[in-house]
Amino acid sequence: MQREPMEGRHANDASQEHAYTEEETNARVYDGFRPDDKASVVLENVKVFDGDQEVSFQPSCWSRFKVLIWGTAAVLVVAAIIGLSVAMVETNKNTTTNGQSEAEIFPPPGAPPYSPGMEPEESSSGGGVTPEGVPIVVDESSDEDGTLEIMKNPPFNVPNGWTALWWEEFNGNNLDPRWWNYQYGYGEAEGLWAWGNEEEQFYTDSESNVQVSDGTLKITARREDTVLPDGYVFEYTSGRINTKGKAAFYGGMTTADGTQWNTVRIEASLKAPRPTVGLWAAYWMLPIDMRYGVWASSGEIDIYEMKNQFIKNNMALHYGGPWPKYSERFNAYENRPGGGSFSEDFTVVTMDWSPTEIQSTCLMLLHVCLVVHCFTAWSAVSMDGELAFTLKSQSVDSKNGWYSKSLNGGPNSPFDMPFYIILNLAVGGKYPGDATPDTLTPNTFEIDYIRVFGKN
């Protein structure tokens, strides 16, 4: 390779007083580097000029040794990166000791840091504000499978063939801390701003927002300001509670006595807020951990979710892969039986969640089926409900069934692990639209009871 005469090297350059001798030139290029570019290493002959005469030099052994060293180092670095990547993938295939996967800790770009409602293990109160007077309850309750103690002496009639496992009748004057957690603020502890939905409320544990009285739970949205340290103002307060870490359920769950319940029924009696605009009531469930990945890979179940005029119940399952590209949703919109608004009276909503064994002479197939019913309270005794939707896992319904893209998942994932209950009343946001001066406040979402039954 011929190089152009380099500055300071051409004998005819008027700026030079003399041409370099061959000895001088050798001294300047003996190490195999281009004299004016110490970053270049050459393994071919170096050509320079002494006047019009071309002088050729062979690269030294030291140059070749340098190339060998740098090449070896580059190979080692690439090998280390590949090894680290493989190790991270293997780690991601297994959950950590607290049940979280690496996919939750390192969410893919574009996915919410945590699914709505999910909070880090060491989270504090949202909004940078720590509410005072929050009772700290130390108990041994857990939402892991196999830890739920069956409650005794249910104060209601248990349907034939079922066993009452857990219930909350909301009697007394306080929320039971054995089963319920408050969530605070605007979602900061969950890694979200405005709960990821542009909501306008600030959640508190104030009795003006969350109250147990006269045999019901009342979650009330109010028009009142909460000012953050940076001066941002939330113009509404409301309540959000959940059973995370204390009680969770799923079809096929095992209770602390070792009994496995093939079918689990979760039944609740609820009354929507007064019809208005910019209000969003929800009774829903999320998984106890993100073992199949970030939302919606690990699933979400919306049992009673509605907005504004409260005339249609939006029931949904979320599953598949990470939001937004790979998540899937199955929706069913159900009118109130008998017509009118869900604000008019209490409505009983029942979800039957069961792994069912199908037998034949040559095949035994295990699958999961979620069935949700809606019926008015007066017909609850006869259980004469209106079927809203049925959805099966992809192992049974290969075309329309739910699934999880996770490598950790089984044929019925993600709905094959415990889910905990959430109750909240949101103001504004993407679903109901913005609150306006016409939004009725205070406005209350009322829950009479939640009951969980099991059957084999």
Side-chain angles (χ1 to χ4, degrees), residues 113-115 117-129 182-193 195 244:
Y114 297 90
S115 59
M118 300 302 292
E119 56 189 84
E121 292 297 321
E122 299 181 359
S123 66
S124 60
S125 299
V129 178
Y182 291 96
Q183 290 184 263
Y184 299 98
Y186 57 84
E188 181 186 43
E190 289 74 16
L192 300 167
W193 168 258
W195 297 98
K244 186 180 181 184

Side-chain angles (χ1 to χ4, degrees), residues 1-219:
M1 178 179 70
Q2 181 168 326
R3 301 191 180 189
E4 294 298 323
M6 291 175 286
E7 182 180 359
R9 294 236 182 147
H10 201 290
N12 296 330
D13 191 329
S15 65
Q16 298 294 322
E17 295 183 359
H18 68 277
Y20 289 112
T21 66
E22 181 175 347
E23 180 178 356
E24 290 173 327
T25 305
N26 282 339
R28 293 173 66 85
V29 300
Y30 76 96
D31 60 355
F33 283 83
R34 180 175 173 176
D36 62 347
D37 183 4
K38 292 299 182 181
S40 66
V41 179
V42 292
L43 294 181
E44 58 191 70
N45 290 350
V46 178
K47 296 182 179 181
V48 296
F49 291 83
D50 184 4
D52 294 328
Q53 183 178 0
E54 179 183 294
V55 183
S56 178
F57 297 97
Q58 294 287 341
S60 66
C61 291
W62 173 239
S63 297
R64 299 177 186 273
F65 180 70
K66 284 183 177 181
V67 171
L68 178 62
I69 292 297
W70 283 108
T72 303
V75 170
L76 291 176
V77 169
V78 171
I81 293 173
I82 294 174
L84 180 60
S85 300
V86 172
M88 292 178 66
V89 170
E90 290 300 318
T91 302
N92 189 46
K93 292 181 181 179
N94 299 289
T95 56
T96 58
T97 55
N98 64 4
Q100 290 179 304
S101 68
E102 292 294 323
E104 180 185 8
I105 301 171
F106 302 103
Y114 297 90
S115 59
M118 300 302 292
E119 56 189 84
E121 292 297 321
E122 299 181 359
S123 66
S124 60
S125 299
V129 178
T130 303
E132 299 180 358
V134 179
I136 299 176
V137 178
V138 179
D139 58 43
E140 297 180 355
S141 61
S142 172
D143 57 7
E144 294 288 341
D145 193 29
T147 61
L148 183 72
E149 296 280 352
I150 298 176
M151 298 175 71
K152 307 297 183 184
N153 304 316
F156 47 82
N157 293 325
V158 179
N160 290 334
W162 295 85
T163 299
L165 305 180
W166 181 92
W167 57 86
E168 174 60 275
E169 299 295 303
F170 297 111
N171 293 323
N173 298 313
N174 296 290
L175 193 67
D176 192 338
R178 294 177 303 165
W179 307 119
W180 297 100
N181 310 298
Y182 291 96
Q183 290 184 263
Y184 299 98
Y186 57 84
E188 181 186 43
E190 289 74 16
L192 300 167
W193 168 258
W195 297 98
N197 297 304
E198 300 177 5
E199 297 169 27
E200 301 174 41
Q201 80 289 331
F202 189 94
Y203 289 130
T204 83
D205 64 341
S206 169
E207 284 194 2
S208 65
N209 297 122
V210 181
Q211 182 181 36
V212 176
S213 63
D214 301 321
T216 66
L217 168 68
K218 301 169 181 65
I219 300 178

Side-chain angles (χ1 to χ4, degrees), residues 187-377:
E188 181 186 43
E190 289 74 16
L192 300 167
W193 168 258
W195 297 98
N197 297 304
E198 300 177 5
E199 297 169 27
E200 301 174 41
Q201 80 289 331
F202 189 94
Y203 289 130
T204 83
D205 64 341
S206 169
E207 284 194 2
S208 65
N209 297 122
V210 181
Q211 182 181 36
V212 176
S213 63
D214 301 321
T216 66
L217 168 68
K218 301 169 181 65
I219 300 178
T220 302
R222 297 180 179 275
R223 193 187 303 270
E224 53 188 3
D225 290 349
T226 301
V227 183
L228 301 187
D230 63 0
Y232 188 90
V233 179
F234 284 91
E235 297 180 352
Y236 299 87
T237 60
S238 189
R240 174 168 168 153
I241 61 174
N242 67 52
T243 64
K244 186 180 181 184
K246 298 181 177 181
F249 318 94
Y250 76 104
M253 66 177 288
T254 301
T255 46
D257 64 353
T259 302
Q260 185 175 23
W261 304 93
N262 292 331
T263 305
V264 171
R265 169 172 289 177
I266 304 175
E267 178 181 302
S269 176
L270 315 99
K271 182 181 178 182
R274 292 173 294 158
T276 185
V277 294
L279 218 55
W280 175 5
Y283 155 53
W284 52 304
M285 302 183 76
L286 284 173
I288 63 171
D289 57 54
M290 306 298 280
R291 66 187 65 177
Y292 300 129
V294 296
W295 193 87
S297 303
S298 295
E300 174 182 322
I301 305 172
D302 300 324
I303 307 172
Y304 180 100
E305 184 174 39
M306 59 188 75
K307 62 181 179 178
N308 299 337
Q309 300 303 306
F310 305 107
I311 57 175
K312 282 186 179 293
N313 182 16
N314 175 22
M315 289 167 281
L317 298 181
H318 300 263
Y319 53 90
W323 175 89
K325 187 174 182 181
Y326 299 107
S327 61
E328 299 278 357
R329 179 177 64 189
F330 176 86
N331 281 88
Y333 295 92
E334 182 76 3
N335 290 324
R336 181 174 181 267
S341 172
F342 284 89
S343 306
E344 296 175 14
D345 203 349
F346 285 90
T347 301
V348 175
V349 181
T350 299
M351 181 175 72
D352 289 343
W353 188 351
S354 58
T356 304
E357 190 174 88
I358 301 174
Q359 294 184 344
S360 70
T361 58
C362 63
L363 177 66
M364 182 169 66
L365 180 65
L366 183 69
H367 74 280
V368 180
C369 178
L370 290 183
V371 183
V372 176
H373 301 268
C374 282
F375 44 90
T376 52

